[in-house]
Amino acid sequence: AAVSISSSIIDLSFLLSGSGGALLCRGAGATLSISNSSLRYSTNVGGSGGAVSFNGSRVRVASTVFDSNKCSRGRGGGMLAQATDGVELVGLTVKSNRGQVGGGLNLVADVVTVTDSSFTSNNGLAGGGGIILAGLTSACAAVLQRVQLASNAATGSGGGVSATGCALVFDTCRLSSNTATANGAGLYFDGSGAARVRLLATQLSRNVAQGSG
């Protein structure tokens, strides 16, 4: 199945339980494309994906706003994306979302690219204020280019970004004024094997953690 959403406003959705406060897309081979749209003020009370939950092949989101969505008991205040063939995000504004694990976005894939995007004032209640990144296998690789993460907060680790088991590249990014009650105010990285972090022309400033980093 292929789902395509363009030039749309999706807001004020409410879900008591299940996945995707406004949109659920799943299935082997499923693809999701969202562009030039706004997803706002959606609530998922009992599940994951405050606005969007995706579990399939590939997801691409471009020039889209995730604003003030929440899932207080699940993953991904704005969106949970689990994609076997990758996640591509371009030109996103992700702000004021709230999730249990991943305040802004929770991304689970082996290939992730995030470009020309901003994550501001998102709150992860159990880690990952702005973004949670995790791989499906040990071959996971994520690249963030020209991304700003500012004033995100995590109760736990990873105020800006929390990443597990991925080779991670930040290129011309800025992580500033993020907070964590545990470790890694700007970035929390839990790597093993070939997993590594590279920072290229990237600034980390005024991030505050109560633990380490």
Side-chain angles (χ1 to χ4, degrees), residues 156-178:
S157 297
V161 177
S162 177
T164 302
C166 283
L168 185 58
V169 176
F170 290 86
D171 183 357
T172 321
C173 296
R174 183 175 182 182
L175 292 76
S176 63
S177 302
N178 301 289

Side-chain angles (χ1 to χ4, degrees), residues 100-174:
Q100 182 72 10
V101 182
L105 305 180
N106 189 309
L107 308 176
V108 184
D110 279 346
V111 179
V112 175
T113 60
V114 186
T115 308
D116 296 323
S117 298
S118 66
F119 296 77
T120 308
S121 301
N122 301 289
N123 192 338
L125 301 176
I131 311 173
I132 289 271
L133 291 168
L136 294 167
T137 71
S138 60
C140 172
V143 177
L144 286 73
Q145 188 172 40
R146 297 185 299 277
V147 173
Q148 294 198 30
L149 296 112
S151 302
N152 302 287
T155 304
S157 297
V161 177
S162 177
T164 302
C166 283
L168 185 58
V169 176
F170 290 86
D171 183 357
T172 321
C173 296
R174 183 175 182 182

Side-chain angles (χ1 to χ4, degrees), residues 10-11 13-15 19-24 39 42-44 49-52 69:
I10 301 172
D11 61 9
S13 298
F14 184 85
L15 183 67
S19 299
L23 172 65
L24 168 62
L39 297 103
S42 290
T43 298
N44 186 342
V52 176
N69 305 288

Side-chain angles (χ1 to χ4, degrees), residues 44-119:
N44 186 342
V45 175
S48 293
V52 176
S53 179
F54 174 82
N55 190 339
S57 172
R58 182 172 180 81
V59 58
R60 184 180 193 274
V61 185
S63 304
T64 289
V65 175
F66 290 87
D67 183 7
S68 302
N69 305 288
K70 59 184 178 180
C71 61
S72 297
R73 298 180 184 176
R75 298 185 289 160
M79 176 174 68
L80 168 63
Q82 302 173 93
T84 58
D85 293 320
V87 174
E88 181 183 4
L89 309 175
V90 182
L92 300 194
T93 299
V94 182
K95 62 181 182 179
S96 303
N97 300 283
R98 181 181 178 94
Q100 182 72 10
V101 182
L105 305 180
N106 189 309
L107 308 176
V108 184
D110 279 346
V111 179
V112 175
T113 60
V114 186
T115 308
D116 296 323
S117 298
S118 66
F119 296 77

Side-chain angles (χ1 to χ4, degrees), residues 3-28:
V3 176
S4 180
I5 298 169
S6 179
S7 303
S8 299
I9 297 174
I10 301 172
D11 61 9
L12 296 171
S13 298
F14 184 85
L15 183 67
L16 281 175
S17 63
S19 299
L23 172 65
L24 168 62
C25 178
R26 65 184 179 189

